[in-house]
Every structure is written in structure tokens, then in C-alpha cells.
Amino acid sequence: MKATIYDVAKEAGVSIATVSLVINGKGKISEERREEIRQIMVRMGYKPSMIATALTGKKTYAFGLLVPDISNPFFAEIARAVEDEGQRHGYSVFICSTDNKDEKARHYAALLQQKNVDGVIISTGMKELSVLNPLLQGGVPVALLAREFPSVAVPSVVVDDYAGGAAAAEHLISLGHSRLAVLAEQESISSSRERVRGFRQTAEAAGVFLEPLFVVSCGHKDGKDRAMELLQMKDRPTAIFCCNDLLAIGALRAAKEMGMRIPQDCSIIGFDDTVLASVTDPPLTTIAQPIEQMGQKAVQLLVRQIGQPGEEAERIVLPPSLTIRQSAAVPSNDSRYNHLDEKTSG
Amino acid sequence: MKATIYDVAKEAGVSIATVSLVINGKGKISEERREEIRQIMVRMGYKPSMIATALTGKKTYAFGLLVPDISNPFFAEIARAVEDEGQRHGYSVFICSTDNKDEKARHYAALLQQKNVDGVIISTGMKELSVLNPLLQGGVPVALLAREFPSVAVPSVVVDDYAGGAAAAEHLISLGHSRLAVLAEQESISSSRERVRGFRQTAEAAGVFLEPLFVVSCGHKDGKDRAMELLQMKDRPTAIFCCNDLLAIGALRAAKEMGMRIPQDCSIIGFDDTVLASVTDPPLTTIAQPIEQMGQKAVQLLVRQIGQPGEEAERIVLPPSLTIRQSAAVPSNDSRYNHLDEKTSG
DNA sequence: CTGAAAGCGCTTACAG
DNA sequence: CTGAAAGCGCTTACAG
């Protein structure tokens, strides 16, 4: 069997208390003894059992990461950042894919509590408070990542969605577009609403108003269909702002199926800047989220909370940035799809 | 604080032993008492602490998943499959990205052992046995997923790499290609070697021999560069078999940068069939791995081992399948890139 | 049918 | 400078 603290104590001819003290670098023990015991530990291949350590009231050095789906590239990248930063602070992470279902989220939250995790990072959408509340009441530190829940004071890190939407609008308008459309996520997703709001207000400030019919929200799978409807309207938009890259890819496909060329016949701009964006054809111009930084900040918030519970809930807002690739360009008038008047800027 | 078994015992007026028995559905306890105690548990919101449970010699209901990088779509999809099947059996999973570095793998392996996980699924490349051995010697159940380590008897699930390579060759040859190239992964990756072997032998059996210069192995980042070199050779290949989708994407880019059209000027075929494959332009024809099934089988192997240690190490080989999209086609002679004799079949 | 007691592998006051 | 003892929240024989 694996060596326990008793084995090394016996081997060293001391009590387990002494061994415990050297493990934790505590107490006043002669440096010689300390070193001697350390040697014995490595010789015996002794590693303290973290579960015993945890039972004794200390931490489990594990936390949970709730995401909609770990196989979604955005969350996979988030997970990597969280894992690395967690590791840096000594934590392991449990992955929990919820498919954005409150029920699954609740189930995972309860499970994580039973496992006595030191905290949980929530990056999944939640309709109800019923997933957050048990955690909060159980005194489990929580940090929100790329998600918010207005009514509760929980530390969170988000990208400035409004600014992201604004940047998209600015780019499109500077390119000379004036018939703008938006492919949004479900109404319930606050980040998506903010992106649309930023996009709309910035466009309007520039004198470009969004046709109500041109702003549509999509479910998980119907991005392509919605985009196609958009592109089939008369006086169709010359540019589409998509609230995430997956949606943008749907739009790309819709356009391709209709025989349109991107960006000549229609500009498309995405949001997130995951691997996918660099791989599509054409590569996506998109609003980049600082994914790595977001993951890092989230675990830092969580770790701070674990260290000093009851701290004030900080809210970190990170700036997005525009990544220009090739899916957005100056609108052209010579395409067979542009049979309408276009006020092309300079 | 959270309720403990003592709290519910007191509330129910029984001993903690009795409560424990009803928790575990053991012992002979009158159905009324049992039910009464159950009610009390739900009323008090009592959930047994899994860490105490684990200390008592039972399981932690957690296992580790070692992958090169969770943000790599292939492994992200693997992780999702593993998570779901794990969940189905009552296990949570720790993610561990190793970047294919033995040192990181060893570190994670040791950590997982300290955390007393019930097992670990290894899906990361390892150069040395030094990562596997401590686990094996520590009696930690292990299952290999999409990776093998010849010299040790560990349950594993892999795709039939040879057959995958063969399928790629068959497809390309049936399309009429005769100047075939291969973009392989590092020599050390056994699955890649097998794919190349299957590809080569099948081609040769059909009378098509691979130019030695046309078989190159790439590191993590230089797929595009290697592909470009390939495409710049005189008598350049008309088709490239890439040992994973990422490499194929590199080849796609190389071709695009050189002004070549895919598949008209060169056919490209990948391996894996992750999300990426369906998003590129043109969408990738690729050899699909049954990712979900692989993940499921791996956890089943692991769970079986946890249940009955010392079982014989089973090796499960799953068949790959060809997913035809648009990156491979009949070689054309009219391209400016095809200035050379081509024996185009039928 | 149910309780007392030991034990899992640690940590932490408390003595000395 | 170091040890004896209690305790973390459970499970498991062993009695009765």
C-alpha cells in the first residue's frame, strides 16, 4: 500500500505530529530533523493524501468549471486558461458541461458541493437563481465568467460587450455599410443583448438605423436558416453582425449556399475569435474576446475569495478588440446582389 | 454549517451507524425508519460529504483525463464524451492538459494520485514510461484513449489508424490521383505512423508508390510551411493526405497563399473530423474518428477496471470512416499548376 | 433491527 | 523542540 504519515513517522522515530509539521513547514523543528524527515518522505515516496488533508478542515484544492459545452471551442479555450491559472495556484478543475440547462447546472452544483470543492467558476447561462443560490448559501465561493446574473453580488469577469458591439458597428460603418443586420443569440443571454445594444446605438449615432426586420435572434442551430432569410429579403442587408463566431459561420454558409461571395456581396463580422474564426473561408473578421486573460482573472477572483471570504464582489470588465480578417469589406455596387442604391462612403 | 451525519442522527434519534446504513441502502432496517430518516435528510438538506466517504476507504468518484490540450477541438470533443459517460457512471472528471510534455504529464499523474482519483484516462502522448509507471505501481486504474504504449498491458481504445490511412489512399486513388504526398505528425506518435503505413501500403497495392520526398513529418506549428514546400516541388503532388485536420488546414492555407484552388489544383484529405473540418473552405474531406464512442468505451474500460482490478487488459479498436466533403476531387489537367503529365484514371 | 467503537490519514491546539 | 489526544465526517465489522 501507499505510505502514510504513520509509516514515515515510524521510520523517522518521531510522532505523526512532527511529520505533519514538516510537511506544512510549520512549528519549530530543528533544521536537521526537518531535513532528515524530508529525505525519508522522498525515499518512501510519501505524498500526503489530499483527501485526508481536506477532511481535516483544509481545502480540497479543486474547483468546478461550469460551461455550456466543453466541446464548444470558445469554452474549450476558456477551460484551458482556467486550468492553467488554476494549476498555478495549486488547484485542479472539474469540468461540467451543462448544455445551458438549469437542471444540469443545479445537479453539477450540488455534486461539486458534495465533493467539497473550494469554489466554482460559472460560465454557463442560468435562467433561475436556483443554481446559484445553493452554492452561495452553502458558502461556496463563486466567480462568474463571461456571464452575469444581475440581481446577485458575485465577483465576475466579462468582456465589455457593449464596446464590442460598438466596435463592430464602427468597423462596418467606416467601411461604408448602411444596411446593417444583426444575428443575435436568444433574448435571455445578457451578453448578446449588450452586444446588440452597443451595435445599434453606435450605428444610430452615425446616422444608420437598423431595420427592425434585420435584427433577428437565433437558437442554437438555426443561425444559417435565419441568415438565409435575412439575405433573401428585398433590400437585403450589406453587412451582418453576428453575436458569436458560430453564428457567423452559419451566415457564411447561408451566403455560400445562395451563391454569394463574402465579403464582396455581403460583409460578415463575428464575435469571440476562437480558432474557428481563423479557419473559415474567408477568415472571419471578428470581435476578439481576451479569453486567456478572462480565464486568469476569473480564477484570481475565485482564489482571492477562497482566501478571504466576504470580500466585496469585484466586477472586472475587459476590453474586446477588433480582429480584421477577410469577411468584411467595402460594399461593392457591381455585384448582381447589389441592385440597389448604396451610399458607399469614400 | 452544513448538516453532518451526526445532525441527522440526532434529529432522528438514532445512531450515526443507522443513518449511514440508510444512506447506503444497507443493513436491515425497518422500512418505516428508513423512510423517516430519508425524509429527515432531505428536510435538513443533508448530503454525505464525499470526502469523508472517500477517506473511509471508498471511492472518490473522480478520475483524471490527460490530454495534450483541452483547447484543441479534437480533445475538447473527446473530453465532452468522457465527461458525459463518466457522469453516467457517477464520476466527475479533472482536466489535465499536458502539452504532450512528459514532465507535465508526470506532474499531473502524481497530483491525481494524491487526490486519490479512482482512475485516469490518458489521451496524451508520452515518450517515457515514467508517467505511466507510478500510476500502475500505485494501483491506479488506467485506460489509454487514442494513444497506445506498446510495451505495457493497459486497456486502450483506439481507432484503426491503419484502416484510416488505407481509406484515405483508396479514396484518393479512386479519384485518379497518382502523385500522393503525406503530411505526418512527429515520428514519435504511433497513431500517425500507422496512418502513414496504411496509406502507403494501400497506395502501393494499387500500384502507386510514394516519393520519399513527399512524405514529411511536421511539428506542432509548421504544417503550413511543410505543405508549402511540398507544393513548390517540381512534379509536385496532386493530393496530400494529412494525418490530422489541423495539418490539413495548414495545407489548405499554404495552397491558398500560393494561389492554388482546392480541390481543383490539389486534393487535401484530413483525419479526425472535428468541428474544424466542416468549417474550412472548402470543407474538408477527412477520415472521421468515432470520437463520442471512443470516449464512452474508454470510460467503460476504466469503470470496469475500477470494479474488478486485475482484469485482463482489453484493447478496443474502432473503425474510422470516410467523410466526403469538398477538399478532394478528381485531379484536373487544365490548371496552370498541372503542367505535367498526369495519368488520370477513367 | 440498532448502537458502540475503531479506523480512514491527516491537522491542530495543548502540554511539556 | 516534540508528543499525546481529539477531531474532521464518514463506514464497517462486531455485539446485542
Side-chain angles (χ1 to χ4, degrees):
Chain A
M1 277 326 305
K2 276 178 58 176
T4 72
I5 197 171
Y6 289 95
D7 301 318
V8 351
K10 187 183 298 175
E11 183 75 13
V14 300
S15 76
I16 60 164
T18 303
V19 177
S20 177
L21 291 178
V22 352
I23 291 172
N24 297 293
K26 292 185 179 174
K28 301 176 192 302
I29 298 177
S30 65
E31 194 44 53
E32 308 140 35
R33 249 188 172 339
R34 210 177 269 284
E35 190 50 38
E36 184 193 335
I37 294 177
R38 275 204 203 94
Q39 304 249 339
I40 292 178
M41 294 197 292
V42 323
R43 178 151 46 76
M44 303 182 73
Y46 169 75
K47 301 268 183 183
S49 154
M50 296 188 74
I51 101 108
T53 301
L55 220 216
T56 327
K58 302 221 304 187
K59 309 188 297 177
T60 53
Y61 289 100
F63 59 73
L65 172 64
L66 261 53
V67 292
D69 181 3
I70 189 70
S71 75
N72 171 323
F74 177 71
F75 292 103
E77 291 174 30
I78 284 274
R80 178 51 132 108
V82 165
E83 182 199 340
D84 285 352
E85 186 70 13
Q87 194 58 20
R88 217 163 282 139
H89 294 265
Y91 292 86
S92 303
V93 7
F94 281 120
I95 62 174
C96 310
S97 297
T98 66
D99 292 317
N100 276 325
K101 304 239 175 73
D102 275 21
E103 194 193 318
K104 288 196 185 185
R106 237 180 282 124
H107 172 250
Y108 265 122
L111 192 61
L112 290 169
Q113 260 190 92
Q114 270 200 67
K115 297 220 179 210
N116 260 286
V117 294
D118 295 335
V120 6
I121 292 183
I122 301 187
S123 200
T124 184
M126 301 163 290
K127 277 161 215 67
E128 300 177 24
L129 265 160
S130 58
V131 12
L132 225 37
N133 270 341
L135 255 15
L136 265 20
Q137 285 163 8
V140 180
V142 172
L144 259 27
L145 174 50
R147 289 282 178 267
E148 297 201 88
F149 214 92
S151 52
V152 276
V154 176
S156 59
V157 13
V158 290
V159 79
D160 189 335
D161 290 303
Y162 183 94
E170 264 163 33
H171 185 59
L172 256 17
I173 284 172
S174 77
L175 250 21
H177 291 273
S178 59
R179 266 209 312 289
L180 271 25
V182 175
L183 228 46
E185 299 177 73
Q186 298 104 293
E187 270 300 314
S188 61
I189 299 183
S190 62
S191 58
S192 182
R193 286 199 309 269
E194 276 305 284
R195 291 169 195 180
V196 175
R197 206 168 61 84
F199 186 82
R200 180 194 305 269
Q201 293 195 356
T202 304
E204 292 182 351
V208 176
F209 291 81
L210 304 191
E211 187 86 46
L213 275 177
F214 282 6
V215 180
V216 311
S217 48
C218 317
H220 208 192
K221 301 262 167 194
D222 61 349
K224 188 175 111 184
D225 296 344
R226 290 290 87 74
M228 199 165 295
E229 291 169 13
L230 229 35
L231 293 173
Q232 282 167 340
M233 293 182 179
K234 84 190 255 289
D235 292 357
R236 59 156 198 80
T238 62
I240 306 181
F241 168 51
C242 304
C243 282
N244 66 232
D245 287 346
L246 253 13
L247 250 22
I249 287 167
L252 236 37
R253 286 199 185 133
K256 215 166 283 178
E257 265 183 37
M258 293 173 60
M260 295 177 67
R261 295 162 308 159
I262 307 294
Q264 296 90 327
D265 300 327
C266 181
S267 284
I268 290 177
I269 180 163
F271 208 112
D272 285 350
D273 199 17
T274 59
V275 243
L276 295 180
S278 61
V279 144
T280 56
D281 174 68
L284 272 181
T285 288
T286 189
I287 305 297
Q289 299 205 47
I291 297 186
E292 189 176 350
Q293 215 188 129
M294 290 166 70
Q296 289 173 355
K297 289 291 179 196
V299 346
Q300 285 162 16
L301 284 184
L302 191 66
V303 168
R304 189 171 318 159
Q305 240 187 120
I306 293 172
Q308 16 191 291
E311 277 284 280
E312 191 184 331
E314 191 177 351
R315 179 170 182 266
I316 296 180
V317 180
L318 265 18
S321 58
L322 173 66
T323 298
I324 297 183
R325 277 190 278 253
Q326 299 158 34
S327 64
V330 170
S332 64
N333 290 310
D334 54 291
S335 152
R336 66 188 167 102
Y337 290 96
N338 280 294
H339 30 225
L340 306 148
D341 256 81
E342 212 62 78
K343 315 171 214 151
T344 323
S345 82
Chain B
M1 279 325 305
K2 275 176 59 175
T4 71
I5 197 171
Y6 290 95
D7 301 319
V8 350
K10 186 184 297 177
E11 183 75 14
V14 299
S15 75
I16 61 164
T18 304
V19 177
S20 176
L21 293 177
V22 351
I23 291 171
N24 298 293
K26 292 185 178 175
K28 299 175 191 305
I29 296 176
S30 65
E31 193 45 53
E32 306 141 37
R33 253 192 168 333
R34 211 178 269 283
E35 190 49 39
E36 184 192 337
I37 293 178
R38 275 205 203 92
Q39 305 248 339
I40 292 178
M41 295 198 290
V42 324
R43 177 150 47 76
M44 302 181 74
Y46 169 75
K47 303 268 184 182
S49 154
M50 295 189 74
I51 101 106
T53 301
L55 220 216
T56 328
K58 303 221 302 185
K59 308 189 297 176
T60 53
Y61 290 100
F63 59 75
L65 173 65
L66 261 53
V67 293
D69 182 0
I70 188 71
S71 74
N72 170 324
F74 177 72
F75 293 103
E77 291 175 30
I78 284 275
R80 178 50 132 107
V82 165
E83 183 200 337
D84 284 352
E85 186 71 11
Q87 195 58 20
R88 218 162 283 138
H89 294 266
Y91 292 87
S92 302
V93 6
F94 281 120
I95 61 173
C96 309
S97 296
T98 67
D99 291 316
N100 274 326
K101 303 239 174 73
D102 275 20
E103 195 193 318
K104 288 196 187 186
R106 237 180 280 123
H107 172 250
Y108 265 123
L111 193 61
L112 290 169
Q113 260 190 92
Q114 272 200 64
K115 297 219 179 210
N116 262 287
V117 294
D118 295 335
V120 5
I121 292 182
I122 300 187
S123 201
T124 184
M126 301 163 289
K127 278 163 214 64
E128 303 177 23
L129 265 159
S130 58
V131 12
L132 224 38
N133 270 342
L135 254 15
L136 264 20
Q137 284 164 9
V140 181
V142 172
L144 260 28
L145 174 51
R147 289 283 178 266
E148 297 202 88
F149 214 93
S151 53
V152 276
V154 176
S156 59
V157 13
V158 291
V159 79
D160 189 335
D161 290 302
Y162 184 95
E170 264 163 33
H171 185 58
L172 255 18
I173 285 173
S174 79
L175 249 21
H177 292 273
S178 59
R179 266 208 313 291
L180 271 23
V182 175
L183 229 46
E185 299 177 73
Q186 298 106 294
E187 270 300 313
S188 61
I189 300 183
S190 62
S191 59
S192 183
R193 286 198 309 271
E194 277 305 283
R195 290 169 196 182
V196 176
R197 206 168 63 84
F199 186 82
R200 180 193 305 270
Q201 292 196 357
T202 304
E204 292 182 351
V208 176
F209 291 82
L210 304 191
E211 187 85 47
L213 276 176
F214 281 6
V215 180
V216 310
S217 49
C218 317
H220 208 191
K221 300 264 166 191
D222 60 348
K224 190 176 108 183
D225 297 343
R226 290 289 88 72
M228 199 166 294
E229 290 168 14
L230 228 37
L231 293 172
Q232 283 166 340
M233 293 180 180
K234 85 188 255 289
D235 290 357
R236 58 155 198 81
T238 61
I240 307 180
F241 168 50
C242 304
C243 282
N244 65 231
D245 286 346
L246 252 14
L247 250 24
I249 286 166
L252 236 37
R253 285 198 186 136
K256 214 166 285 178
E257 265 182 37
M258 294 173 59
M260 296 176 66
R261 296 161 306 160
I262 308 291
Q264 296 91 327
D265 300 327
C266 181
S267 284
I268 290 177
I269 179 163
F271 206 112
D272 285 350
D273 199 17
T274 59
V275 241
L276 295 179
S278 60
V279 145
T280 57
D281 174 66
L284 274 180
T285 288
T286 190
I287 305 298
Q289 299 205 48
I291 297 186
E292 188 176 350
Q293 214 187 130
M294 290 168 70
Q296 289 174 355
K297 289 290 180 196
V299 345
Q300 285 162 15
L301 284 183
L302 191 66
V303 168
R304 190 171 318 159
Q305 242 187 119
I306 293 172
Q308 15 191 290
E311 277 284 279
E312 192 183 332
E314 191 177 351
R315 178 169 182 268
I316 297 180
V317 180
L318 265 17
S321 59
L322 173 67
T323 298
I324 297 182
R325 278 191 277 253
Q326 298 160 35
S327 64
V330 170
S332 64
N333 290 309
D334 54 291
S335 154
R336 63 188 170 103
Y337 290 95
N338 280 292
H339 32 225
L340 307 147
D341 257 81
E342 212 61 79
K343 317 171 214 150
T344 324
S345 83

